[in-house]
Amino acid sequence: MNKTRIIELRQAQGWTQERLATESGVGLRTVQRLEAGEDASLETLSLVAEALRVPVRDLFSTIDDAAMSSRVDSLEDRTTEQQAARDRITGAWRWLYIGIGVVLTLISFTFAQGVVLFLGYWIGGTMILLAVRRLYLEPHLDSRYPLSRAKSSRRERRQRRNAAQPAEEHSETDVTDQVSP
């Protein structure tokens, strides 16, 4: 039987089962079954792992089933591959925007009213690029690479994690200060 660490990881976050269910997008009963050691789909495990900010393999202290271990490894490999593909596509869009901007900037210096072209592209183009990214590119990449995340969502998760860690350290310090004579 595979021994999970979900209870330990959830409690380290200071979360209730209800909070984990909400953060991961799975049902409360599913969280209860996972914590009891019952089997779940890799998709469910992936959602819970993402909510807890750990790789799927870290949800388990031991994985006795060789087939399950192989599936977890395969999921982690697919996640890495999909993230790399997503990052390449978004990087290509960014470099296309910058390349066109450089060309238009050089052309704008040859016109008397070139500053209008320069400002129009870099200000208007930025707003258009952001709109295209949010309305078309990100939803398209989400459906094409479901195991990957946008750089902005990864940055937000990292900021939330970093913001939570000092608060936890501070609260531990407060408790220590209160206990000390």
Side-chain angles (χ1 to χ4, degrees):
M1 181 169 173
N2 304 319
K3 178 139 173 56
T4 69
R5 297 181 50 229
I6 296 173
I7 296 171
E8 169 190 334
L9 294 168
R10 175 180 56 80
Q11 290 174 342
Q13 294 280 349
W15 291 354
T16 63
Q17 289 178 333
E18 292 83 7
R19 172 87 186 267
L20 178 57
T22 301
E23 293 287 330
S24 63
V26 301
L28 174 60
R29 183 69 187 115
T30 301
V31 170
Q32 292 168 342
R33 282 195 297 260
L34 287 171
E35 289 186 354
E38 294 181 25
D39 288 339
S41 70
L42 284 178
E43 180 182 350
T44 299
L45 292 172
S46 178
L47 292 170
V48 171
E50 183 179 333
L52 292 169
R53 300 176 193 103
V54 298
V56 173
R57 181 163 291 287
D58 288 357
L59 293 178
F60 301 95
S61 55
T62 60
I63 301 178
D64 296 334
D65 184 12
M68 177 66 163
S69 181
S70 173
R71 289 187 1 236
V72 168
D73 290 340
S74 175
L75 176 69
E76 290 175 353
D77 291 344
R78 286 192 325 255
T79 300
T80 302
E81 290 168 7
Q82 287 187 18
Q83 190 63 56
R86 181 185 196 121
D87 291 345
R88 277 193 307 274
I89 291 171
T90 55
W93 276 84
R94 186 178 312 109
W95 281 108
L96 177 65
Y97 170 73
I98 291 170
I100 292 170
V102 168
V103 169
L104 287 177
T105 298
L106 294 173
I107 291 171
S108 73
F109 290 129
T110 63
F111 295 113
Q113 298 296 325
V115 73
V116 173
L117 178 63
F118 175 81
L119 292 174
Y121 180 78
W122 288 107
I123 294 172
T126 300
M127 290 190 286
I128 291 170
L129 180 66
L130 290 174
V132 167
R133 192 177 95 205
R134 287 186 182 170
L135 298 174
Y136 172 74
L137 186 60
E138 292 299 336
H140 177 73
L141 292 174
D142 286 342
S143 66
R144 187 166 181 192
Y145 304 111
L147 298 175
S148 68
R149 296 290 168 251
K151 188 175 275 188
S152 61
S153 67
R154 289 183 306 202
R155 186 179 316 118
E156 289 169 8
R157 276 198 339 232
R158 191 169 43 249
Q159 288 172 344
R160 280 193 312 234
R161 181 176 46 229
N162 291 342
Q165 287 174 349
E168 292 169 1
E169 291 169 4
H170 181 68
S171 64
E172 289 174 9
T173 305
D174 290 346
V175 171
T176 307
D177 291 343
Q178 292 172 359
V179 173
S180 300

